[in-house]
Amino acid sequence: MSSQHDRILVTGATGKQGGATARTLLADGIPVRALVRDPHTPAARALAELGAELAIGDFDAPDTIAAAVTDVRAVFGVPPAAFGPDGWNIEAEATRGEALVAASRAAGVEQFVFTGVASFARDKQWGSNGKRRIEQAVADSGMRYTLLRPVRFMENYLARGLPVDGIHNGVHRHLFPADFPVQMIAVDDIAAVAAVAFADPERLHGRTLDLAGDQLPMRVAAAKISEATGIPVRYEEVPESEAAERGPQIHTVWRLTREGDSWNADIPALREIHPALRTFDTWLAETGTAQLKSVLAG
């Protein structure tokens, strides 16, 4: 039977990765403390109904973070993103993450699993400057640790209101060439790998794992969605002029993929760790098709 000593703090618990990890751990009988800003949101209430202890906290309120990491065995850390008038605030994100690591170490936490983002082979810094600083703090902390670096989520097809990704009026737009294989991962598989790390802290200690479950050209993925849902979906490449207008990072991704660069997770090796790793077809069959039908009908 689990004891409170087994309790794991999950940050970002009402988001995609944190929520999936909290649900996976709870299903495995592991006590979960979920860090939330508002305990009254539907996502927070749903976790509480599943048995999670809610810890109300804010990364910019250090006392609440110190309380949240007290009396837990391990922490699942999701990047504490920060946005300001100029967009993504990398410095604030890194500072928040480093503070979480320091508070965890001070509280005697034994293990830290951090999920960041995978990088392209020739663009080590894309979207990752702050996350790499947090990773370094985790590695230097003296805690057992595992660093997860997921690629693009399969669930991104469900997104609304994004300039790229998601499906709008039957069109999926992105930066990638239509016939260039691109890796993707189901969010529940990020949670499953995290659960493996928590179940056996020594097995994945010190490992940095790029996470992907499938690799498909965007045109092929759109065709699979059309077949699964019965609703026509086509893929459209974002032109270079638009990518350039969206800033140097976006333009770099556009350019590198046309030079053959992209994510390069070792999918067979990851399947040895997590044999039930989902392909895109598996994700569609399990949950994706039903969710996509709802989105596409809206």
Side-chain angles (χ1 to χ4, degrees):
M1 186 173 181
S2 297
S3 68
Q4 290 307 303
H5 180 67
D6 297 321
R7 184 166 45 198
I8 294 173
L9 173 70
V10 176
T11 75
T14 57
K16 288 186 175 66
Q17 296 184 76
T21 301
R23 291 189 295 272
T24 297
L25 293 173
L26 289 165
D28 290 343
I30 306 299
V32 168
R33 178 182 289 166
L35 183 65
V36 300
R37 295 184 65 180
D38 182 354
H40 303 295
T41 64
R45 290 201 306 268
L47 287 176
E49 289 171 2
L50 290 173
E53 171 196 349
L54 301 186
I56 303 171
D58 188 314
F59 281 104
D60 295 322
D63 288 349
T64 66
I65 299 303
V69 297
T70 300
D71 295 328
V72 299
R73 176 181 71 80
V75 170
F76 179 75
V78 177
F83 298 92
D86 298 322
W88 186 8
N89 188 330
I90 292 174
E91 179 63 29
E93 177 185 78
T95 300
R96 287 172 170 180
E98 289 166 341
L100 174 65
V101 175
S104 300
R105 182 181 57 199
V109 171
E110 300 171 8
Q111 183 187 14
F112 202 109
V113 175
F114 178 72
T115 178
V117 64
S119 294
F120 286 8
R122 282 183 287 155
D123 187 21
K124 299 296 185 184
Q125 299 304 315
W126 175 56
S128 65
N129 297 12
K131 295 172 182 61
R132 295 297 181 261
R133 275 179 52 184
I134 301 170
E135 287 182 346
Q136 191 61 52
V138 173
D140 292 342
S141 69
M143 294 180 281
R144 292 186 181 89
Y145 73 91
T146 305
L147 304 176
L148 307 180
R149 293 179 176 176
V151 301
R152 174 178 168 269
F153 301 160
M154 295 178 188
E155 287 78 4
N156 283 7
Y157 283 106
L158 307 172
R160 298 176 183 269
L162 298 179
V164 296
D165 230 338
I167 301 171
H168 309 280
N169 299 319
V171 179
H172 176 231
R173 302 181 77 241
H174 215 302
L175 306 171
F176 308 106
D179 296 314
F180 181 65
V182 178
Q183 292 188 334
M184 61 183 94
I185 184 76
V187 171
D188 282 344
D189 286 325
I190 303 171
V193 175
V196 170
F198 287 127
D200 186 355
E202 286 298 333
R203 180 182 177 188
L204 299 181
H205 172 52
R207 298 280 300 276
T208 299
L209 300 171
D210 281 17
L211 303 184
D214 209 342
Q215 182 168 314
L216 294 171
M218 289 298 202
R219 195 194 307 276
V220 172
K224 285 181 176 290
I225 291 171
S226 298
E227 181 180 3
T229 63
I231 302 171
V233 173
R234 65 179 176 85
Y235 179 67
E236 180 181 290
E237 298 179 26
V238 170
E240 182 173 15
S241 57
E242 181 180 335
E245 289 174 359
R246 296 192 181 281
Q249 285 188 327
I250 298 297
H251 192 207
T252 296
V253 173
W254 190 98
R255 175 179 55 80
L256 287 175
T257 55
R258 281 151 185 81
E259 296 173 2
D261 196 9
S262 187
W263 299 296
N264 192 33
D266 188 338
I267 296 175
L270 187 61
R271 187 160 276 114
E272 292 182 7
I273 296 170
H274 172 39
L277 186 67
R278 292 166 178 82
T279 64
F280 190 54
D281 286 339
T282 306
W283 177 75
L284 285 171
E286 287 184 354
T287 60
T289 297
Q291 294 177 87
L292 282 162
K293 283 182 176 180
S294 176
V295 169
L296 295 175

